[in-house]
Amino acid sequence: MRKHVQATLIAILAIINCNAQNPPLWFATASGGPLSGGTLSKINGDGTNFGNVYPFSSFESPQAELTQLANGKIYGSTNGGGADGGGIIFSYNPSTDTYNTLYNFSRTTGVFPGSKLMAGLDNKLYGLTREGGSHNKGTIFKFDPVSFVYTDLYDFPNTDAANPIGGLCQTPDGKLWGMTPGGGVNGSGTIFNYDIFSSTFTSVIDLADSMAMEPHGSLLYLNNKFYGLSLLGGNNALGTLFCFDPVAVTLTKIVEFNGGNGSYPYGSLTLEPDIAGIGSQLLIGMTSSGGIYDYGTIFDVDVSGNNLGFFTEHQFSGPEGRNENFSGNLVPSLTNDSMFYGMTGLGGASNHGVLFSINPWRNSFYSVLDQFTDSLAGSNPGGTPLVSTNGKIYATAGGG
């Protein structure tokens, strides 16, 4: 069915794409650059006019996805550096070309933030740290971008949950939901929530190797259910794509990765726009290995019940990307409803990763926009591009 829909849409999308110009893209790297700690950079959507904007200092290594608030500023964190070496929270204002360090992480309240700063319903930023806190198993925190006040909301123990790697999502009732790759009854991780009004933490379900284990990404909230990826678990022990019902407190496997369709998905899922108007709910994501070349895949799967099925949209081959041990996600374009942007941690001419675009509704058209090098451009991206409200893309990368 997908192929028939694609054939109908190609002519429509050709007209749309003729009218939509390639927007400028922005991204950051966590290695290379003048100070060897990465750079904030820009490039046009067609891969031209690359330029550096800000150099990160050595050991800062920003690897988490970036967030833009209504004030136009972009916020992110680094995996190291700062006064205590545990990372920082920073902001960048595209309008004034101004960068500021806003907070230095400390061991007592959490260090090494590896996940996105989530914009909450109260206009505060929420996030997770992998280590630090009273048990050194990570923390849930809140940061006020106006007053610059940091609040340690919860310290993870090893029993309920431990060492979160992915990010948070927020439901309409204000609760924060996330996953950990460790802790829980089986030691395989948990799905948890935190009520910001009652300051209550709940470990909702313990993961097990038969269903899902060691998730490294974030949950996607859709139609009162959560969808996610697990790095391991399933009958093949190569990871799963699952659905979690918070009312019934049940977890259902939707896809078991088997190597041929990908394996070891590190990241998170993104909802594709229903541009065909057929009621589809296609979730797109990436695996870190598997496929023909064993360098990872881009896939999507329909969870609407319309039986569109599972599709392998692209198989990384090495020269145009290699997604090994990479935790990034795909993000939609603001100017083209069917276009997505992403990065790979390896591959390309220098094997330091690439920035790419893919259009799953145009015969999975894939294009490399930029190839990372261990120099001024940085290398080995470890995050996800951000499509800014000004039409530009910001992202983070690590390694080198």
Side-chain angles (χ1 to χ4, degrees):
M1 181 178 177
R2 171 73 172 261
K3 296 299 182 183
H4 294 296
V5 175
Q6 281 183 328
T8 304
L9 286 173
I10 286 176
I12 299 174
L13 292 174
I15 296 173
I16 294 174
N17 289 337
C18 284
N19 296 325
Q21 300 298 316
N22 286 313
L25 318 177
W26 292 69
F27 60 90
T29 69
S31 183
L35 303 179
S36 300
T39 63
L40 184 63
S41 306
K42 64 180 180 180
I43 190 172
N44 286 346
D46 59 2
T48 61
N49 294 329
F50 168 84
N52 290 330
V53 173
Y54 179 83
F56 289 100
S57 62
S58 181
F59 305 114
E60 284 188 323
S61 187
Q63 296 180 17
E65 186 176 348
L66 299 164
T67 300
Q68 187 171 36
L69 297 184
N71 61 11
K73 293 181 180 179
I74 293 168
Y75 297 84
S77 62
T78 67
N79 193 45
D84 295 324
I88 62 171
I89 294 176
F90 66 86
S91 70
Y92 175 76
N93 190 331
S95 299
T96 60
D97 189 27
T98 304
Y99 173 94
N100 286 297
T101 297
L102 306 180
Y103 176 76
N104 291 272
F105 287 94
S106 68
R107 178 65 61 175
T108 56
T109 56
V111 289
F112 308 136
S115 62
K116 177 181 180 179
L117 297 173
M118 187 208 72
L121 299 175
D122 56 0
N123 296 316
K124 305 298 192 296
L125 295 170
Y126 293 86
L128 300 166
T129 65
R130 296 195 307 277
E131 297 181 20
S134 57
H135 308 286
N136 200 30
K137 297 297 181 180
T139 65
I140 302 173
F141 67 85
K142 175 176 70 174
F143 181 76
D144 189 326
V146 177
S147 65
F148 307 141
V149 172
Y150 175 97
T151 306
D152 179 4
L153 299 176
Y154 181 77
D155 294 353
F156 286 96
N158 190 47
T159 51
D160 291 338
N163 307 113
I165 296 177
L168 296 165
C169 73
Q170 189 172 33
T171 46
D173 61 3
K175 289 183 179 178
L176 307 177
W177 288 78
M179 301 184 288
T180 67
V185 173
N186 304 304
S188 299
T190 65
I191 295 176
F192 67 85
N193 68 43
Y194 181 85
D195 190 321
I196 61 174
F197 300 110
S198 64
S199 301
T200 303
F201 176 91
T202 304
S203 181
V204 181
I205 190 171
D206 295 307
L207 301 180
D209 58 1
S210 61
M211 300 296 288
M213 60 185 298
E214 297 189 26
H216 282 57
S218 306
L219 292 166
L220 173 67
Y221 186 63
L222 177 66
N223 295 332
N224 301 314
K225 295 181 179 180
F226 294 95
Y227 295 86
L229 297 167
S230 70
L231 176 65
L232 303 174
N235 294 331
N236 303 307
L238 298 176
T240 65
L241 188 157
F242 62 84
C243 173
F244 174 68
D245 186 330
V247 177
V249 194
T250 55
L251 190 145
T252 304
K253 285 184 293 187
I254 297 176
V255 176
E256 292 204 63
F257 292 100
N258 58 27
N261 65 358
S263 56
Y264 306 125
Y266 270 86
S268 308
L269 296 163
T270 304
L271 177 65
E272 294 183 26
D274 180 25
I275 61 174
I278 58 174
S280 67
Q281 292 176 353
L282 285 160
L283 308 182
I284 190 168
M286 297 188 287
T287 65
S288 65
S289 62
I292 295 175
Y293 307 100
D294 203 25
Y295 289 151
T297 64
I298 299 174
F299 65 86
D300 54 13
V301 60
D302 181 39
V303 296
S304 69
N306 288 340
N307 298 318
L308 293 184
F310 177 95
F311 305 92
T312 300
E313 299 290 356
H314 183 75
Q315 306 199 50
F316 294 106
S317 64
E320 40 69 274
R322 179 179 172 184
N323 207 39
E324 186 177 8
N325 298 329
F326 179 66
S327 59
N329 315 315
L330 293 161
V331 294
S333 167
L334 292 180
T335 59
N336 184 334
D337 284 342
S338 61
M339 182 77 74
F340 286 82
Y341 297 101
M343 299 188 293
T344 68
L346 297 171
S350 302
N351 199 31
H352 290 306
V354 303
L355 172 69
F356 66 85
S357 65
I358 185 169
N359 193 328
W361 286 99
R362 292 201 68 187
N363 293 325
S364 303
F365 179 76
Y366 178 96
S367 177
V368 174
L369 303 178
D370 187 53
Q371 303 196 44
F372 294 96
T373 61
D374 192 19
S375 60
L376 292 179
S379 65
N380 306 108
T384 300
L386 167 70
V387 182
S388 171
T389 54
N390 63 5
K392 299 177 180 179
I393 285 184
Y394 299 77
T396 56

